[in-house]
Amino acid sequence: MPESQIAGIPVHFPFEPYPVQRAYMEKVIQCLRDGTNGVLESPTGTGKTLSLLCSSLAWIRTRQSEQQHQMVKMEKGDLPGLGGAAGADLSELAKTMARANNWGVPKVIYASRTHSQLTQAMRELKRTAYSNMRSVVLGSRDQLCIHPEVMKEQGNSNKTNMCKLRVHSKTCSFQARVESRKDHPDLRGPTIMDIEDLVKVGQRLKICPYFASRELVAQADITFMPYNYLLDPKARKANKIELGNTIVILDEAHNIEKICEESASVQIKSSDVAMAIEDVTHVMKVFASGESQDMGADEPKDFTLDDLTLLKEMLLELEKAIDAVVVENVGEGTTFPASMMYELLGKANFTYGNVATIVSLLDKLVQYLLVASQQMSIRKGGTFTMLSDLLTIVFANKEDVMTKVHASFKVHVQVEETKQQGQGKQQGVNKQGWLSKGTIASANSSSKMAKIINFWCFNPGFGMEQLLNTQVRSVILTSGTLAPLKPLIAELAIPVAQHLENPHIVDQSQVYVKIIGTGPDRQQLISNYTNRDNPKYISSLGQTILNVSRIVPDGLLVFFPSYPMLNKCVDAWQASGLWADISAKKPIFLEPRSKDQFTSTMEEFYQAIRDSKGAVFMAVCRGKVSEGLDFADRNGRAVIITGLPYPPLKDPKVILKRRYLEANRTRENQLLSGQEWYNLDATRAVNQAIGRVIRHRNDYGAILLCDSRFKDASQVQQLSKWIRGHLGDRPQCSPFGPIVRELRQFFKNAEANMKQPDERESEPALETVCKTEDEPLAAIPKIKREPGSNATFKAANERAIKVEMANSIKTWSPADYASAAGQKLGGSAPNAMDFMSRLDSNVSSIDFNCCMDSKSGSSGLVKIHKRERSSPTPPETSSQVAKKRYKLVENIKMEPISSQVKEAPESRADFLRELRSLVNQDEFRRFGKALLEYKSGTDESFQALMTVLWEVLAAPKMRYMLVGMRKYLKNEHKGEFDQRLAKL
């Protein structure tokens, strides 16, 4: 790989670095060399991650070489002052100490928000000259555990506790083998292993990937991990992460303030305390009755009945203290100073002096209940875990920093919504006995409302200060959307020596940026609070997306301010028919919330792009799609931002954050005002969503800001620097008509002038076609070698025959012909190796029976048989290719090739698109209206929906769509639906 001298360090880069990459790497190396901190912004697509890894590891490798050279000198006795036996002993001691401390060279910790982002970074590292450096990734037990019993547990907390229990009791064979196999070449080999690779190696070696990865940390040059492992003191301690003399890189750090705040915040509910009291009571009953011997065998317990009695007394006092808190504003809650949390816990005798002992007891109770839950129906100690987290986080703040705690934290108390059932039972419980249960107070009781106690941190610098106090060498914060940098640095309260705002790597001709203030119908596009429910606005926004989808090739991303706004638009467009119009041009995918659905939806989206259909992906700013996902080249040719994603204005946390900034803002610390922070939070989310499109030097795309507020100077100044360059000094909203023309011309020029990505292969390679393991190919006739032909010709000829035979069609019908010719609605054009191209091979018959007239029942049709050729090549005596001959024969009954019943499409978008193609416009509107009413209605709306379904979909040819409707019904209605369906 090319080598470049950057800041005095030889850096091997996969190609000659661009100026922006060189400037970025120079700043990184300066931070590492001087032991200082940096805040570096480089737009998405500029090779930020690659530059970051190459520069940091180049510096590490250079330092390692220097230290090892120093040790060689020491061995030879070249260093002054060392000689004789004493010098040799000192040299050996120095070598041993140097190896133990990685030759004194700092290690790199690379942290990002999600494991998918870490996987992308590790993939980049594999491309570099530093792929042979030692690396490891840390993950949770939920991701890495391979023990079948532990994996059965629901939730990461239960898996963690079950794992701890099995390790403590030495009943996990996978963990037991780690010590003996930790030096196995498969584990310590030169390859870089991500989470999936670790799991595969663990399964192959029968060792625990979770504990094996921890064994690799000590020797690793670079360790990959999620943010919370670093910033959460509890997680840092649990994972035994040592930060002394390390280089901490926080990539995708645009959310770092929120993560710092959340890692120092915690919540406890009245119901949590009440359930904890119930769990303690249950354990006490078991102890009192002697049943514990049956559940826990003869092992001595780690706690006594006196410990449980004391804990229950403290929990009852805590419940009483929470009940006594007065919530003046029941709707929005009441805010108290941070000291109130310490006073509340103090009333229950939770103090700095005893908190460590109590947390230890709670952890032991969790382990005990995990064992007990195997024998009887009992909770697994989740409430004890919540209580332990509360005490750990609250008392992590040492007494000597309480002044800062009072300024940075607030306690917000809200009313907890409780279930109505079971309240009558709770009221009659005698609370005085030692074996009595805690009371889950009724929400409608004025004296004892169930409450939520929130302990919120509003100073991200509080968490960052704890990180800096661990004696790290350097902290580098980097992202594509950090600007403006000054307020970020001020909030984190971190000393920064190096900062950078890079321009983009692409030129003006590769990006088209416009603010669209009105739709095609001249309706103003503004997604503010007063206009977002306006049907005319929602319709105009849909028309805008429809028109853009007709112009933009391949992938189109549409980002909404929130999930409620996304759902509102989808419902309205489905009812009006706009949804069907858009999906007729491109299939539509919606961002799902569940992890499993998200993966499958993304795969379907990418597949639609590969199939040359194009696709629209509708997602939400701050969602998974807008954070770190790659939509390079055809996957994302344009992004539409439908509005500014402001945080909820009346959310208590938002209100308190704004108050905190106003109260602590001074001219010296340069903190933002509350309103500036509120605006910036929305714009940063927009910047992040915009970054999904331009992903590398040769990429191109359009950015359409469909909200007239984007033209305001205050909003423009907070957009990324490279975006501002495209909008100009005084950006204005452009009329829709000219934008359509300019957008069409932009893509026309880009496709003509820009380097296009490598085209996908239309068919598998020849080796793939020929080497089928499951089904043997038909016998290949031997080919006589022509005089003068050579082995190369023979091999090519035989391979061509294999392909022909592998793709041969023995029989076909006119319906197949119509389908392959693209005559079905929504069908894709055939490719070179598709049905139409293969008709020239060994077709033996054409089946016209599918054309039978259903009314007359006539079946006296015929088939056309084609003579099979004995050999794909003409005989030697033939001077010309024989003509194909067909003969008409009587109708012969043929076995159907497949009896597969047609099924409705799985995704909602595909279902609606297919339904739209089957029914007329009035029927589709009736269906959409009935479905919307059913979604938020009662049993009457269900009956109305059933009436519409049976009128529209009961015909035999649409019965499969009727069956497919079942998954969209509520569970309580599926039984009646099945009964009615059975009667058809």
Side-chain angles (χ1 to χ4, degrees):
M1 290 187 179
E3 180 183 298
S4 303
Q5 284 290 328
I6 300 176
I9 300 292
V11 179
H12 294 273
F13 208 67
F15 47 86
E16 184 63 32
Y18 297 110
V20 294
Q21 294 167 337
R22 185 177 285 274
Y24 186 91
M25 289 191 281
E26 187 172 347
K27 292 290 185 181
V28 172
I29 292 172
Q30 287 173 357
C31 286
L32 307 191
R33 182 191 63 202
D34 302 336
T36 55
N37 306 319
V39 176
L40 314 176
E41 181 188 75
S42 193
T44 303
T46 55
K48 168 177 56 68
T49 302
L50 189 63
S51 303
L52 189 60
L53 291 170
C54 288
S55 55
S56 57
L57 292 177
W59 185 83
I60 292 287
R61 182 175 282 180
T62 302
R63 284 292 305 274
Q64 287 174 342
S65 299
E66 291 172 355
Q67 292 298 321
Q68 289 169 4
H69 183 65
Q70 196 82 350
M71 294 308 299
V72 171
K73 280 188 175 182
M74 187 179 291
E75 286 180 1
K76 294 179 178 179
D78 292 345
L79 294 181
L82 289 178
D89 291 342
L90 187 58
S91 173
E92 195 61 36
L93 176 63
K95 282 199 305 183
T96 304
M97 293 292 292
R99 286 196 190 95
N101 293 299
N102 195 34
W103 306 99
V105 178
K107 297 183 178 184
V108 176
I109 292 180
Y110 183 101
S112 195
R113 198 170 72 95
T114 65
H115 272 287
S116 63
Q117 291 168 345
L118 291 175
T119 301
Q120 287 180 25
M122 297 181 82
R123 196 179 299 132
E124 290 281 354
L125 181 56
K126 290 178 182 179
R127 296 173 49 205
T128 70
Y130 307 98
S131 59
N132 60 345
M133 295 187 74
R134 295 164 298 184
S135 66
V136 65
V137 59
L138 299 184
S140 65
R141 289 173 173 86
D142 188 33
Q143 295 162 316
L144 290 171
C145 180
I146 59 174
H147 195 294
E149 294 300 320
V150 176
M151 294 310 295
K152 287 180 183 176
E153 296 293 327
Q154 296 296 318
N156 190 37
S157 177
N158 286 339
K159 288 175 184 174
T160 299
N161 290 316
M162 180 60 78
C163 172
K164 288 179 179 178
L165 176 66
R166 288 193 169 272
V167 171
H168 179 70
S169 60
K170 294 182 170 43
T171 57
C172 179
S173 59
F174 299 102
Q175 191 271 339
R177 296 189 193 101
V178 169
E179 185 62 30
S180 62
R181 300 183 184 179
K182 65 182 181 182
D183 294 322
H184 195 282
D186 285 358
L187 190 62
R188 293 190 181 269
T191 57
I192 297 168
M193 293 188 293
D194 58 20
I195 292 290
E196 291 181 2
D197 296 329
L198 272 174
V199 171
K200 289 176 183 175
V201 170
Q203 290 170 338
R204 187 164 62 249
L205 300 180
K206 300 272 192 286
I207 62 173
C208 173
Y210 177 80
F211 286 100
S213 64
R214 268 69 186 163
E215 292 290 333
L216 300 176
V217 170
Q219 300 299 321
D221 297 309
I222 179 168
T223 304
F224 295 86
M225 65 182 70
Y227 278 157
N228 61 307
Y229 282 32
L230 274 179
L231 300 173
D232 186 343
K234 181 164 57 67
R236 198 160 63 228
K237 182 179 178 182
N239 288 283
K240 298 178 182 177
I241 296 171
E242 297 294 333
L243 295 178
N245 194 33
T246 58
I247 297 158
V248 174
I249 296 173
L250 297 170
D251 198 3
E252 302 298 337
H254 48 275
N255 289 320
I256 196 68
E257 301 127 303
K258 288 182 181 177
I259 293 169
C260 285
E261 291 172 0
E262 288 169 2
S263 66
S265 302
V266 71
Q267 178 190 88
I268 191 77
K269 300 177 182 177
S270 294
S271 56
D272 295 333
V273 178
M275 285 191 288
I277 294 171
E278 287 183 5
D279 290 343
V280 174
T281 302
H282 189 92
V283 177
M284 290 172 68
K285 283 182 178 179
V286 171
F287 265 58
S289 63
E291 294 176 21
S292 59
Q293 295 299 320
D294 298 329
M295 292 192 319
D298 296 326
E299 292 183 17
K301 301 296 177 295
D302 293 329
F303 50 85
T304 64
L305 189 58
D306 289 341
D307 294 332
L308 298 177
T309 303
L310 180 61
L311 177 61
K312 180 169 182 180
E313 184 178 1
M314 296 172 76
L315 290 174
L316 287 168
E317 289 298 322
L318 179 60
E319 184 181 50
K320 190 186 298 182
I322 292 174
D323 287 343
V325 176
V326 178
V327 182
E328 295 177 354
N329 189 333
V330 175
E332 298 178 3
T334 303
T335 304
F336 299 89
S339 57
M340 184 264 197
M341 177 60 81
Y342 295 91
E343 293 168 4
L344 195 69
L345 294 172
K347 290 177 182 178
N349 199 29
F350 292 103
T351 64
Y352 279 99
N354 64 13
V355 69
T357 305
I358 295 167
V359 168
S360 176
L361 173 60
L362 291 169
D363 292 342
K364 292 171 185 175
L365 277 169
V366 171
Q367 300 292 325
Y368 175 82
L369 287 175
L370 272 171
V371 177
S373 66
Q374 309 296 317
Q375 310 284 337
M376 61 178 68
S377 178
I378 186 174
R379 284 190 292 265
K380 298 180 180 180
T383 53
F384 293 148
T385 302
M386 291 181 189
L387 190 60
S388 175
D389 291 346
L390 171 76
L391 297 175
T392 302
I393 290 175
V394 171
F395 288 102
N397 305 314
K398 304 302 181 186
E399 292 181 270
D400 55 351
V401 296
M402 289 310 293
T403 303
K404 195 167 186 177
V405 170
H406 292 158
S408 305
F409 288 78
K410 292 292 181 187
V411 176
H412 187 76
V413 184
Q414 299 167 289
V415 173
E416 179 185 2
E417 294 183 6
T418 57
K419 296 180 180 178
Q420 296 298 317
Q421 58 267 30
Q423 288 179 357
K425 295 180 182 178
Q426 294 289 346
Q427 292 172 1
V429 174
N430 177 16
K431 194 179 174 182
Q432 303 305 315
W434 278 117
L435 297 180
S436 64
K437 297 180 179 179
T439 59
I440 303 177
S442 169
N444 56 15
S445 167
S446 58
S447 58
K448 293 183 179 180
M449 291 184 294
K451 301 178 184 72
I452 302 172
I453 312 294
N454 298 292
F455 187 62
W456 285 335
C457 175
F458 296 102
N459 179 8
F462 198 86
M464 190 56 65
E465 184 180 20
Q466 291 180 328
L467 182 66
L468 294 174
N469 288 341
T470 59
Q471 306 303 311
V472 296
R473 178 183 177 88
S474 296
V475 176
I476 296 177
L477 304 176
T478 184
S479 178
T481 53
L482 289 178
L485 301 185
K486 284 186 178 179
L488 173 68
I489 296 169
E491 270 221 276
L492 293 175
I494 179 174
V496 173
Q498 304 293 336
H499 51 83
L500 174 71
E501 281 187 80
N502 250 344
H504 212 296
I505 206 167
V506 297
D507 59 38
Q508 292 278 347
S509 65
Q510 291 173 247
V511 186
Y512 179 83
V513 184
K514 286 293 180 181
I515 301 171
I516 303 179
T518 57
D521 55 357
R522 298 186 180 180
Q523 176 72 31
Q524 185 183 21
L525 297 179
I526 180 168
S527 182
N528 58 17
Y529 180 75
T530 56
N531 197 50
R532 68 181 60 159
D533 294 327
N534 183 356
K536 291 182 179 179
Y537 158 70
I538 294 175
S539 175
S540 185
L541 180 62
Q543 292 286 351
T544 302
I545 295 171
L546 172 61
N547 280 274
V548 171
S549 69
R550 290 169 174 162
I551 301 169
V552 174
D554 301 315
L556 170 63
L557 309 178
V558 184
F559 287 102
F560 292 80
S562 64
Y563 281 106
M565 191 63 199
L566 168 61
N567 295 333
K568 187 181 297 180
C569 289
V570 169
D571 290 342
W573 296 338
Q574 287 176 348
S576 67
L578 261 174
W579 181 272
D581 293 338
I582 298 171
S583 58
K585 184 65 181 175
K586 294 178 186 286
I588 305 174
F589 297 87
L590 292 177
E591 178 177 18
R593 298 204 185 191
S594 71
K595 183 178 179 180
D596 295 336
Q597 283 185 328
F598 182 80
T599 304
S600 61
T601 302
M602 291 307 305
E603 282 301 318
E604 290 173 14
F605 173 78
Y606 291 139
Q607 186 60 48
I609 302 296
R610 287 194 292 269
D611 292 342
S612 299
K613 298 176 185 175
V616 178
F617 205 115
M618 296 187 178
V620 173
C621 291
R622 299 190 190 89
K624 292 180 182 178
V625 173
S626 70
E627 298 277 348
L629 280 190
D630 192 351
F631 291 92
D633 299 319
R634 296 176 58 205
N635 291 334
R637 284 302 182 205
V639 59
I640 294 176
I641 307 294
T642 64
L644 284 159
Y646 289 109
L649 185 61
K650 295 186 178 180
D651 184 278
K653 206 168 186 178
V654 173
I655 294 170
L656 291 173
K657 174 68 176 181
R658 295 178 68 168
R659 287 179 187 169
Y660 163 80
L661 290 169
E662 294 293 349
N664 292 277
R665 184 187 183 209
T666 63
R667 183 172 296 178
E668 290 75 23
N669 63 23
Q670 293 186 315
L671 284 177
L672 294 171
S673 68
Q675 186 61 41
E676 287 170 340
W677 167 84
Y678 187 72
N679 293 338
L680 180 60
D681 191 78
T683 313
R684 275 202 180 137
V686 168
N687 288 335
Q688 196 63 23
I690 287 172
R692 299 310 94 209
V693 175
I694 306 297
R695 305 298 295 182
H696 58 82
R697 175 69 183 86
N698 296 314
D699 208 352
Y700 62 88
I703 298 162
L704 305 175
L705 307 174
C706 296
D707 192 314
S708 57
R709 290 175 293 177
F710 278 109
K711 73 177 187 301
D712 298 342
S714 59
Q715 295 296 340
V716 172
Q717 289 305 311
Q718 291 179 340
L719 289 172
S720 293
K721 187 177 181 180
W722 70 277
I723 294 288
R724 296 200 303 269
H726 288 276
L727 287 173
D729 296 332
R730 293 185 179 180
Q732 297 294 324
C733 296
S734 303
F736 191 76
I739 286 178
V740 170
R741 290 192 296 273
E742 291 173 9
L743 191 62
R744 186 177 285 112
Q745 189 62 41
F746 167 77
F747 282 111
K748 185 177 179 180
N749 293 339
E751 289 172 4
N753 302 322
M754 289 299 301
K755 178 184 176 183
Q756 296 300 313
D758 295 336
E759 292 296 329
R760 62 184 178 86
E761 291 184 2
S762 59
E763 285 296 319
L766 287 174
E767 291 81 3
T768 308
V769 175
C770 299
K771 295 179 181 178
T772 54
E773 297 177 359
D774 298 330
E775 298 180 8
L777 292 173
I780 309 295
K782 291 185 178 179
I783 302 176
K784 293 184 179 180
R785 185 169 177 176
E786 297 286 336
S789 63
N790 55 28
T792 305
F793 172 81
K794 179 181 177 181
N797 202 5
E798 288 181 350
R799 179 174 275 182
I801 295 168
K802 287 184 178 182
V803 175
E804 181 179 4
M805 298 297 288
N807 291 282
S808 65
I809 300 175
K810 295 296 183 186
T811 182
W812 59 276
S813 71
D816 295 328
Y817 184 93
S819 175
Q823 293 180 5
K824 284 189 175 180
L825 185 63
S828 59
N831 56 42
M833 295 295 291
D834 207 346
F835 177 87
M836 300 293 289
S837 304
R838 292 181 286 168
L839 281 180
D840 197 38
S841 58
N842 298 329
V843 177
S844 60
S845 62
I846 307 172
D847 185 3
F848 286 87
N849 295 307
C850 64
C851 303
M852 183 177 68
D853 187 351
S854 59
K855 293 182 181 179
S856 64
S858 172
S859 59
L861 299 177
V862 297
K863 282 192 290 185
I864 297 178
H865 281 263
K866 188 182 84 174
R867 290 180 179 175
E868 286 194 23
R869 290 175 287 174
S870 59
S871 171
T873 58
E876 292 183 6
T877 58
S878 176
S879 60
Q880 61 182 10
V881 178
K883 294 182 179 179
K884 297 177 185 177
R885 297 173 181 263
Y886 295 86
K887 64 176 181 178
L888 297 180
V889 300
E890 289 182 5
N891 178 23
I892 301 172
K893 197 86 173 179
M894 291 190 66
E895 290 295 324
I897 295 172
S898 171
S899 59
Q900 185 177 5
V901 179
K902 192 170 184 181
E903 294 182 357
E906 284 294 323
S907 71
R908 184 171 70 164
D910 290 340
F911 184 91
L912 290 170
R913 184 168 62 251
E914 184 154 345
L915 180 63
R916 174 74 171 174
S917 68
L918 293 171
V919 301
N920 60 45
Q921 190 171 2
D922 290 338
E923 288 176 333
F924 186 77
R925 285 182 177 173
R926 283 179 60 209
F927 168 81
K929 182 179 179 182
L931 191 62
L932 284 176
E933 291 175 352
Y934 169 69
K935 191 174 179 181
S936 58
T938 59
D939 289 339
E940 290 78 8
S941 59
F942 168 68
Q943 296 302 331
L945 177 63
M946 289 299 99
T947 302
V948 173
L949 289 179
W950 255 252
E951 290 176 359
V952 175
L953 300 178
K957 69 174 184 178
M958 290 195 284
R959 189 76 49 81
Y960 73 100
M961 294 293 286
L962 182 62
V963 174
M965 269 299 301
R966 186 181 189 276
K967 61 177 171 284
Y968 301 110
L969 300 179
K970 299 172 185 175
N971 289 333
E972 60 266 26
H973 295 143
K974 288 182 178 179
E976 183 178 344
F977 176 84
D978 293 340
Q979 290 175 5
R980 295 186 62 174
L981 191 63
K983 294 177 182 178
L984 277 177

